[in-house]
Amino acid sequence: MKPTKFIFSGMLVIALLMAIIGCQNNDPIYEEVQPVPEDSYVVSVAELADSSEKQPRWLSIPDSRLVINYYDYATYQYGNFNNPSESEFSNSAVTPLNVGYLDPYRAIQLPEQVLILSEQPSGNMEADCYSTSWRADRLDFTAGYGEHEYSGYDYFYDEDTIVRNIENENGTLCITGPYSGTVSVIDGVIISRNTSQLTAVAVKDASYTYYGSYNDMVDNYNPSDEPTSSNGWWKCSVSAAETTIAFAVKDVDTSEEEIARAVLAPLQYRNAYVQAQNREAQWNQLFSRVPRPTNFSFDSDFDAMGITSEDIELKYYQAWALIISNVLPESPETTFPYKQVANGKASLWHEGADASMYSAQWESLYGIGFLSYVLPEDAWSACLGFMSMVGEDGLIGGETLPTNKAQTVWMCYSALSNKEYLQQCVEPLERYLTWALDNPRWILGTHNYPNERDMDYCSNILVDITFLQKIYTELGNT
């Protein structure tokens, strides 16, 4: 029997809804972001903010390999109710920016890439109170140090760049973060090159001091005007009413100049704030495509135990946000020219086939099916990607799970009738279901017992065959 998995499952996508238009500028490299036209929507992300104790803390966008506030379920075993909540795992009094990077070959954790402290004559202080809130387009936070307060939010400027906008009411903030590997500084951008990724960070209009360790930074011990080792911490002091921080992660083959431009772009003009509005508009448009129930209330005779229709609506759209956010881009590094719907970006789950290690053979396919309601072309891409991984013997690499593959193909076709795509799926489905009939069992790593049989697998095969029959009928096959 396969183990119970408590993981994020969902997915979806959307093309970026922004217009970036060139403007009069002495430096044409950086363009001024223009606001998208305002529109009215049935539901808005601002109305669906969640400040509860059990609020989600993850954040991503379609086609990004990054996720804010990953939750490493490989460390916190499935089904253990003593595990920390998302808030307990991700939040702290230093307002950390925790980033997960879904590299095509491995899931990479980049914790505490930016921290915020209050700078005091006696040393840097952590907040004595703070709060957070989740929205599909951004993560809000507030913190206080006695009479000193600040607030802000994190959001995705683009697929590779995260922006943190801060409003500082009074006092001086100490903004800090780590650097490692081969370190360089270009135009105020601190760049760290490691074996698997290139990261970069910049604070608008800031000058940096460098230290050998976090404790040295807190104590202001042995400061330097430039990095003096391959591992250390940078720090800057900010007292402006508004501050913007940009952080980017790119493939290790990216040049330092390219990632520096990516980080500096949000710091130009009012780009960081206009793009935040555009990201909100993008999610409002996405939510407008989601099938909307006519009633979010329980039946009047049902004991709702305090759960309101507003609670249900919030969870409904949170689930869709997760589905949308879980879309990964094509992976040329592994010669996989298809989208993926991750089993859960924030969970860093990676037990799939080598070409698409973040896709699960069950949960991701359900995500693809739901995605077809909103972004049918992207759903088809992810679906065809699964079909491309069916071997000549019918086996798909990675963890083997109950089948819903023919059902997913039919859902994609029902959303976007493309007989060419449908025909491409027939032979892989035939090979896979033939194999599955002889192997109704869970396979993962060394757990591979040919004589094992699982009723859940058997029943799903029977259901999936009925959808293959629908496909035959649609294509005129017998």
Side-chain angles (χ1 to χ4, degrees), residues 57 59 68-69 95-98 137-141 152-156 162-165:
R57 295 304 302 146
L59 192 75
I68 301 176
N69 291 331
T95 322
L97 176 62
N98 306 307
D137 62 321
R138 72 191 210 185
L139 300 175
D140 292 276
F141 56 82
Y153 54 90
D154 299 329
Y155 80 98
F156 277 78
I162 296 166
V163 160
R164 170 170 286 187
N165 286 331

Side-chain angles (χ1 to χ4, degrees), residues 32 71 104 135 157 163 174 202 228 230 295 306 318 399 403 433 449 459:
E32 185 173 4
Y71 190 113
R135 287 173 30 167
Y157 186 84
V163 160
C174 165
T228 57
S230 60
N295 183 7
Q318 283 179 353
E399 183 181 18
T403 181
L433 286 171
Y449 305 110
S459 60

Side-chain angles (χ1 to χ4, degrees), residues 338 380 383-384 387-388 390 405-406 408-410 412-414 416-431 467-478:
Y338 305 97
W380 260 124
C383 185
L384 292 171
M387 296 299 103
S388 75
V390 178
K405 295 169 184 61
T408 301
V409 170
W410 186 253
C412 289
Y413 181 74
S414 299
L416 179 62
S417 299
N418 187 316
K419 288 194 175 181
E420 180 182 349
Y421 290 164
L422 192 65
Q423 184 65 58
Q424 289 180 41
C425 296
V426 172
E427 289 188 11
L429 283 173
E430 290 173 341
R431 294 199 306 274
F467 284 97
L468 181 58
Q469 291 172 331
K470 289 178 181 285
I471 294 170
Y472 284 152
T473 301
E474 183 68 17
L475 292 173
N477 298 346
T478 57

Side-chain angles (χ1 to χ4, degrees), residues 357-372:
M357 60 189 294
Y358 302 108
S359 298
Q361 290 186 40
W362 196 42
E363 295 93 334
S364 291
L365 284 155
Y366 277 115
I368 291 169
F370 284 118
L371 182 63
S372 68

